[in-house]
Amino acid sequence: MTTRVFRSTTPRLKPSLVARWAQAPTNVAADILAGLTVIDPAIRPLKPFGAGKRLAGLAMTALCEGTDFGAVHHAIAVAQAGDVIVVEAGGRSNPAIIGELLAGSARLKGIRGLVVNGAVRDVSALRRWDDFPVFTRHVSPRGPSSYDRGTVNGVIAMAGVRVAPGDIVLGDDDGVVIVPREDAEAKIEAALARVAAEEAWER
């Protein structure tokens, strides 16, 4: 079975809207969205972000089957600058479905980061990149065995959370939250109001 790549027919959200969501920490987004779109907290960033820094971009989804990483290859090929590759690999601890070379090609293309419900490798290299955050459940030295199956740019269940292509992916030191594209415009004002309120409380 070959990798299936779906073509999106839905207009992309405006970069300005993604930039506004980037001002909201994941804890605010989680509260505004009633906690329903929080990715499993076991999926963690490889390195700390630091205060005020986070990942924000549009989801490009990849569904991997078994030890195959074809979906990741194709997702990077069709993704646009500003996207985040979201990989559902069944939570498997091995093999790693992406490492330094493939992640490096995504980084050079302007892809903003990577979220993997599975394993990655070459973490000493991945941790050096301040401009390409990687979230993962596992680390493994073992590589995949094939690259000719899977699904790209379809709706997936990412560790139990629905993720559709074009949803907003927010990530920081607390974890990852998905902002469904249909809620992004309607909920942004409430999110930014919460950010402003919390800043006032801190003062």
Side-chain angles (χ1 to χ4, degrees):
M1 181 177 177
T2 58
T3 303
R4 294 169 295 173
V5 180
F6 294 109
R7 178 178 296 179
S8 177
T9 58
T10 306
R12 291 169 62 89
L13 295 177
K14 294 179 180 179
S16 58
L17 181 57
V18 178
R20 296 185 76 199
W21 273 104
Q23 300 174 50
T26 57
N27 56 17
V28 167
D31 289 349
I32 293 297
L33 295 164
L36 300 176
T37 62
V38 176
I39 298 295
D40 188 339
I43 298 174
R44 304 297 305 157
L46 284 179
K47 63 181 294 185
F49 279 78
K53 296 181 180 180
R54 62 188 56 91
L55 169 66
L58 299 181
M60 169 60 67
T61 62
L63 177 63
C64 292
E65 301 176 9
T67 61
D68 191 283
F69 73 141
V72 179
H73 268 275
H74 289 282
I76 291 171
V78 299
Q80 299 183 33
D83 286 350
V84 176
I85 306 296
V86 179
V87 184
E88 174 53 49
R92 292 179 285 276
S93 60
N94 70 75
I97 50 78
I98 191 168
E100 178 184 7
L101 296 180
L102 195 53
S105 68
R107 179 184 177 221
L108 290 174
K109 191 173 182 180
I111 292 169
R112 288 186 175 164
L114 178 69
V115 181
V116 180
N117 185 24
V120 304
R121 65 179 181 178
D122 304 327
V123 296
S124 62
L126 300 183
R127 284 182 175 137
R128 292 199 302 266
W129 300 341
D130 291 330
D131 59 346
F132 190 84
V134 175
F135 289 77
T136 188
R137 184 182 291 274
H138 302 291
V139 173
S140 172
R142 178 189 172 194
S145 59
S146 62
Y147 57 88
D148 55 6
R149 300 195 306 276
T151 303
V152 174
N153 211 30
V155 177
I156 63 173
M158 175 68 171
V161 173
R162 182 185 187 275
V163 183
D167 287 347
I168 296 176
V169 182
L170 292 180
D172 58 24
D173 288 322
D174 281 349
V176 180
V177 174
I178 304 300
V179 181
R181 57 171 298 116
E182 59 270 20
D183 292 330
E185 189 72 54
K187 302 286 189 180
I188 185 59
E189 296 300 339
L192 294 182
R194 174 69 67 85
V195 171
E198 291 190 357
E199 290 174 348
W201 297 334
E202 289 174 0
R203 289 194 298 271

